[in-house]
Amino acid sequence: MNKDFLYNEIAGGIAGQIKNGILKAGDRLPSVRTLCQQHGISMNTAKRVFLELESQSLVDSKPQSGYFVSRLPYLKTPLPNVSRPSTVAHENEPEELISKIYANMGRDDLTLFSIGVPSGDLLPIAKLKKEIVLATRALKGGGVEYESLQGNLKLRRMIAFRSLAWGGNLQENDLITTSGGMNALAFCLMALGKPGDTVAMESPCFPGTLQLARSLGLKVLELPTHPSTGIEIDALKKVIDKINICLLVPNFNTPMGSFMPDENKKEVVALLSKHNIPLIEDDIYGDLYFGAQRPKCCKSYDTEGNILYCSSASKTIAPGYRVGWVAPGKYKEQVLKLKLVHSISSASVNQEAVANFLKTGRYENHLRQLRRTLQENYQRYVQTIAEHFPEGTKTSQPQGGVALWVEFDKRIDTAKLYEMAIKHQISIAPGRMFTLQNQFENCMRLCIGLPWSDKLAFKLKQLGTLAKMV
Amino acid sequence: MNKDFLYNEIAGGIAGQIKNGILKAGDRLPSVRTLCQQHGISMNTAKRVFLELESQSLVDSKPQSGYFVSRLPYLKTPLPNVSRPSTVAHENEPEELISKIYANMGRDDLTLFSIGVPSGDLLPIAKLKKEIVLATRALKGGGVEYESLQGNLKLRRMIAFRSLAWGGNLQENDLITTSGGMNALAFCLMALGKPGDTVAMESPCFPGTLQLARSLGLKVLELPTHPSTGIEIDALKKVIDKINICLLVPNFNTPMGSFMPDENKKEVVALLSKHNIPLIEDDIYGDLYFGAQRPKCCKSYDTEGNILYCSSASKTIAPGYRVGWVAPGKYKEQVLKLKLVHSISSASVNQEAVANFLKTGRYENHLRQLRRTLQENYQRYVQTIAEHFPEGTKTSQPQGGVALWVEFDKRIDTAKLYEMAIKHQISIAPGRMFTLQNQFENCMRLCIGLPWSDKLAFKLKQLGTLAKMV
């Protein structure tokens, strides 16, 4: 029997038992070894079964204990298919659409399902204000003078310390601070690419990254991407000779919230390293996991300095502070030089404030709360969508992050839905924004980083009603 | 008689009278009209006489009153010659030298004649610390959330208001904030140029700008530059068909501190506009004038949106805050898009703090004090150089800014002088840093933005003694 079919069939059987209530939330599943014996399958196939169930949010793994039926309620929306973008680089930038949606940023009169960060209500504003005041006192000269090129030492130290949690083992000297995460990505792409080079990315993908690559004269090759497990490695293998750079968001990327399993991360790192293709890894959502453990990164498996690891404080605590960082591996000198000529140094006070906030342990408390809110929102969104959206609506099943990807029936055009929704003070991010090709016109991204309220629930239901009318 | 010779001769005569003490500090000079009658010359030639005297810092003009003998003491150091760079783009980047000098940034154990900003002792640190605290209170959400793409409205309003002083008449909507001045220049160069394009600049020129242009794949054509009046317009005319972009610092550029007269600004603007070549104008030193009035900018004469005006708060109040701005004229959309994809938005708190500081009038008080200190330092430096440096040492005669350009006899290599000086805890910026060609090896830039003290005087004398030993 075809191996793919086999693991799917076994996973389907277990999924059925969960959905039928035979297996209940919290129940322990058979071990990998037991599953092998029961079905006469290999360890690898058994592992794929659990991976599949995990990617459907039906089971959780607990280290050293095994797999358990997830405590999430049974999700009534099915998963979208793996994306199938063209394997040729396209340049069809949806500029007008993007401008329109970005112009809504900060508008108080709208329900901003379209944003890509947690709303201010979920951020530790009061604590950060105090940290800013303390930072002006702690910094030499109040932070008025240029700081060193590489960036605030305390901040770099804290990021290095925290990298232990994801197996990064970074040193303070590996890191360079930047003006937010996009700035880190920009320096990396400028350091690695020249006009005409091709960069491979997930599809769908964050529009800013697509625009950035295009503005640097790079071609973008969009990769088939599974909504739960990220890029299809076989697809990457097929185009490996066509690409110069790879840029991925392996942990809870936007818009799909896909999460690349450790095995896949390892395989991608080895594959790219073998072909001497640098990987820019964007880990801005990595701290926003719904599971029990901080996920690993591709950088965790990097032995050759081939991975430029980027992240920021924008998705977790303070978008407006513009504090980001990069561990550029063997490309450190190039990135450092770009930082020098593009910005001389980073804004001093903000970095010091973030460094101190990370240091106090308040960050962990805040993250715990934020993750709980995001996960609860995710469940509420899915329930609402299952009840109030057009039949056949599919959603991603993010295991972290702030984005939920919604796929409607083919005939529902989300650019039209946007126009209808905005008249009701609702802003969404239509799927076409997240690609340079003509695809995802029946999809949209919803931000789950808004505080749940009766009003929000009403607006979400209203959106569903409008979708039925497109 | 040759017209050039005529105005030079008349200017020389008046200069002689000043140097001989016949004309004394504060004495009124004959009016332009009187000079015409006395010498039988045209108004234009008479004006050039005063311009020449002004460029030598021998006379000051007072609006509606005429010309007066400068209150500066008679300068005992002659002016360097007009620079004569090759008219072919060179790429000989002095990377090693630059890295070495930049690495000294922030070192407390050195006398940093090499820096390009006023030292922290001359900056309004206590007041800015208060502004930061107030900013976290005033901003919605404490500045933790993303602000609008174009940047803090209050700051843009203050910059627009202040532009009246230099004839800019900017509106808040003309402006985009950036992460410091270099960031503004970077966006402009990226918006205008593609790899292989040629950008014309002053020679000598700020190393960061040279490196930035090179890192974007642009060719740099260095223009012959007069130490007092900036680029030679005839030289620009000769290469006008070879260049795609022009980038100038017309007011007190670094390292020479040259100051382009209004007539020249007007002429350059018209010339570039005629040839449809955009001008990036860097005005970061414009507020640091030693004379009676805020100088005009090229942007003051821009009627077609052909000039991208850049400036920042880094040279006047707070380098470490990274607050800059650009009025990109007709290139606004391109710059705005680059800001979006490279950094999403600016750091909110810093901008609000700078905006409020500009608003209070404390800025004017601070500037008055800073300008006085810089001008006094300039005079002290020149006196010390005249007395303690090798015979034949020439210096620029800046009418503003923080830089003094020193030209030694050809046989004195300032790269060697650097090595000798650093052993005595003195850091200088060798002339070779400021060009991509093999020139200025006998020159150096000294920062006059350090607080004068016995120690500083001693270190400057020591530098002179070392120069005699090279």
Side-chain angles (χ1 to χ4, degrees), chain A residues 402-417:
Chain A
V402 294
L404 184 68
W405 183 243
V406 178
E407 184 182 310
F408 291 113
D409 184 272
K410 277 281 174 204
R411 65 181 173 73
I412 297 182
D413 179 348
T414 48
K416 276 191 202 143
L417 178 59

Side-chain angles (χ1 to χ4, degrees), chain A residues 76-347:
Chain A
K76 295 194 192 100
T77 45
L79 202 61
N81 288 327
V82 174
S83 71
R84 292 283 168 224
S86 156
T87 54
V88 177
H90 281 57
E91 307 190 339
N92 199 345
E93 210 170 301
E95 274 199 79
E96 212 181 313
L97 194 60
I98 292 176
S99 309
K100 203 154 56 178
I101 276 76
Y102 274 54
N104 295 337
M105 213 157 82
R107 272 184 63 182
D108 285 336
D109 57 329
L110 301 180
T111 300
L112 292 169
F113 288 120
S114 52
I115 61 170
V117 285
S119 114
D121 304 286
L122 305 183
L123 299 175
I125 291 176
K127 291 189 184 103
L128 285 170
K129 279 161 83 168
K130 277 186 202 150
E131 293 294 357
I132 289 279
V133 176
L134 294 175
T136 64
R137 289 190 204 144
L139 282 170
K140 188 194 151 204
V144 166
E145 293 180 71
Y146 284 132
E147 59 162 42
S148 77
L149 176 57
Q150 212 171 323
N152 186 294
L153 181 62
K154 209 189 282 178
L155 178 61
R156 290 188 285 123
R157 218 165 255 170
M158 281 313 299
I159 296 159
F161 170 70
R162 292 185 56 83
S163 77
L164 285 177
W166 52 265
N169 297 321
L170 298 177
Q171 308 296 312
E172 61 198 34
N173 199 34
D174 298 328
L175 287 149
I176 301 167
T177 68
T178 60
S179 181
M182 276 305 281
N183 189 226
L185 296 183
F187 288 158
C188 290
L189 280 174
M190 284 193 279
L192 299 174
K194 54 180 193 305
D197 282 356
T198 298
V199 50
M201 300 189 194
E202 285 121 349
S203 183
C205 172
F206 175 53
T209 315
L210 293 172
Q211 289 185 303
L212 172 64
R214 294 264 304 128
S215 90
L216 296 171
L218 301 168
K219 290 181 195 152
V220 176
L221 203 153
E222 298 177 48
L223 297 167
T225 305
H226 188 285
S228 291
T229 57
I231 58 155
E232 299 273 289
I233 298 180
D234 284 345
L236 178 61
K237 281 181 188 161
K238 275 184 200 147
V239 297
I240 200 83
D241 292 331
K242 285 199 218 169
I243 66 174
N244 308 95
I245 308 166
C246 193
L247 190 160
L248 298 175
V249 191
N251 292 331
F252 324 125
N253 70 349
T254 204
M256 291 215 283
S258 66
F259 168 57
M260 199 185 270
D262 285 355
E263 287 81 358
N264 291 24
K265 285 174 181 154
K266 225 184 282 186
E267 200 179 339
V268 164
V269 170
L271 178 67
L272 293 173
S273 174
K274 188 180 145 197
H275 289 85
N276 211 13
I277 297 167
L279 169 63
I280 303 170
E281 177 175 38
D282 185 359
D283 190 39
I284 43 173
Y285 304 105
D287 278 347
L288 300 179
Y289 52 96
F290 301 161
Q293 258 198 320
R294 172 60 158 97
K296 285 200 156 51
C297 300
C298 287
K299 185 76 176 174
S300 316
Y301 303 103
D302 182 26
T303 53
E304 300 174 14
N306 194 44
I307 299 180
L308 302 91
Y309 172 88
C310 303
S311 192
S312 83
S314 301
K315 306 299 180 186
T316 48
I317 53 173
Y321 283 10
R322 313 313 301 126
V323 173
W325 51 86
V326 50
K330 62 186 174 192
Y331 304 97
K332 186 179 159 197
E333 283 313 309
Q334 289 96 308
V335 172
L336 212 48
K337 185 167 173 191
L338 281 164
K339 180 177 175 184
L340 177 67
V341 298
H342 280 261
S343 57
I344 309 270
S345 65
S346 304

